[in-house]
Amino acid sequence: MMSIQKRCLLWDWTNTNGIPWAMEKIHFSGPFSSVSNWNTWTPPELKNRLPFRPMVRLEAQLTGSDWKNIESSDQPIIHFFNEPERAGISPERAADVWFKQVLPLRQHKDKKLVSPSCASDPAGQVWIAEFMDRVGSDQPDFLGLHYYGTDGDAAIAYLEMMHEKYPHLPIIVSEIASTSRDYTDVLSFTAQLANWMDATAWIFEYGVFGCMRELADGVVSPAARLMNRDGAFTDLMYKLMFDQPIRM
C-alpha cells in the first residue's frame, strides 16, 4: 500500500557536523515527505533523497550567505521565521520583511511560502493574527504552526481552531511533540496526532520534534526523543519512519 507522505524529518544541524552517517539509516520510501534542519543550507548527507525545506529562521538569515542560499535554492517551499514572537521580532517588522524580501520569492521564483510558525500559546496566536492582518491579500501559501503539550485532543482542537480562522490555507505543523515524561503517554499522543494528521486533507505536512542527540531545551521530553546520544534511532523514530497508522 502506498504511504501517505506528510512527515517532515526534523534533522538537527549537529547531526551533519557529528554523525552524518546516521542519515544512511533513514527509510526514504515510507511516510517521510521532506527534511528540515532550521537552516538555509541542505544537509549534504541528504543526497537529494527527499525534498529539503529551507528556513529563514530569524533575521540573521536575511543577509549574507544564508540569504544567497535562499535566493539560489531549487527547493519549492520556503519557511519564514521560527517562533518570531519569542525572538523579539514584531509582526510589523515581519510584514515589512515579507513584502521586501520574502514575497518576491513567490513573485519571481515561483516559491511557495510558509507563514511564520508561532507557538500555540496566547502570545503566538496574537502575533500570527496581527501578521496575517498586515500582509492582507498577499497571504502565505501555507500556515505554519507549532504545538507542544500532553493532551492529544487539545492539540487537535487547536489545529482545527486555526484551520477555521484560515480555511483557505493548508497547514504545515513544522514542530509538534508530546512533553509528557512518560513514554506510554508520548506514544499515545504521537500516534493520535500522526494518524489524525495523515488522514486530514488540510494538513499538508508535519514534523515531529526532533532527530538530535541532545535535547534542545527543558521543554523537550527525554521520553519523546527520536535519537539517542550515540546517534541510534529510538523506537518512536522507527514508528515514524515505518508505521502507518502508528499503533500503540
Side-chain angles (χ1 to χ4, degrees):
M1 190 172 104
M2 189 76 178
S3 296
I4 299 167
Q5 292 182 311
K6 289 190 181 185
R7 300 176 189 171
C8 179
L9 170 62
L10 302 184
W11 187 257
D12 196 60
W13 66 274
T14 58
N15 297 341
T16 299
N17 283 3
I19 52 166
W21 52 262
M23 185 68 84
E24 298 306 314
K25 307 292 186 183
I26 295 293
H27 177 56
F28 288 100
S29 57
F32 281 138
S33 57
S34 64
V35 173
S36 173
N37 66 353
W38 297 276
N39 281 285
T40 63
W41 50 267
T42 306
E45 66 271 25
L46 181 57
K47 300 175 185 174
N48 296 313
R49 287 175 286 189
L50 280 174
F52 176 65
R53 303 288 187 239
M55 180 182 291
V56 180
R57 187 173 67 255
L58 295 170
E59 291 196 70
Q61 281 71 49
L62 294 169
T63 58
S65 60
D66 276 317
W67 187 250
K68 287 179 182 175
N69 290 342
I70 292 294
E71 288 194 306
S72 63
S73 175
D74 62 355
Q75 297 301 300
I77 296 173
I78 307 290
H79 282 258
F80 175 49
F81 284 168
N82 189 72
E83 297 191 351
E85 78 281 8
R86 296 182 175 184
I89 302 171
S90 69
E92 181 180 15
R93 169 62 178 155
D96 184 53
V97 171
W98 177 260
F99 286 115
K100 288 180 179 175
Q101 280 186 252
V102 180
L103 196 58
L105 297 172
R106 183 167 71 199
Q107 294 166 333
H108 305 306
K109 297 177 181 289
D110 295 322
K111 301 301 183 186
K112 291 190 179 297
L113 306 174
V114 188
S115 80
S117 294
C118 294
S120 61
D121 60 11
Q125 294 180 45
V126 168
W127 194 102
I128 193 61
E130 183 178 339
F131 172 82
M132 296 295 267
D133 284 344
R134 286 180 176 276
V135 300
S137 61
D138 291 307
Q139 299 270 299
D141 299 285
F142 301 96
L143 178 63
L145 299 174
H146 287 180
Y147 192 90
Y148 289 89
T150 58
D151 183 337
D153 291 340
I156 290 171
Y158 174 71
L159 297 176
E160 288 178 331
M161 177 189 73
M162 295 303 287
H163 173 61
E164 287 170 8
K165 285 185 178 180
Y166 308 102
H168 58 294
L169 293 182
I171 286 174
I172 293 180
V173 186
S174 52
E175 292 182 23
I176 188 167
S178 170
T179 56
S180 170
R181 269 45 185 170
D182 180 88
Y183 179 67
T184 301
D185 292 342
V186 168
L187 179 55
S188 176
F189 177 98
T190 308
Q192 181 184 4
L193 267 295
N195 296 341
W196 179 81
M197 289 189 288
D198 283 342
T200 300
W202 43 266
I203 299 286
F204 178 80
E205 192 166 78
Y206 62 93
V208 176
F209 192 90
C211 205
M212 57 193 69
R213 287 171 293 170
E214 300 294 336
L215 300 179
D217 55 36
V219 175
V220 178
S221 169
R225 66 190 310 151
L226 302 181
M227 178 184 275
N228 293 318
R229 285 183 170 175
D230 62 0
F233 297 146
T234 64
D235 176 66
L236 190 63
M237 177 64 173
Y238 279 107
K239 290 182 184 300
L240 287 166
M241 277 201 295
F242 288 99
D243 294 1
Q244 202 171 52
I246 297 176
R247 294 184 173 87
M248 287 294 293

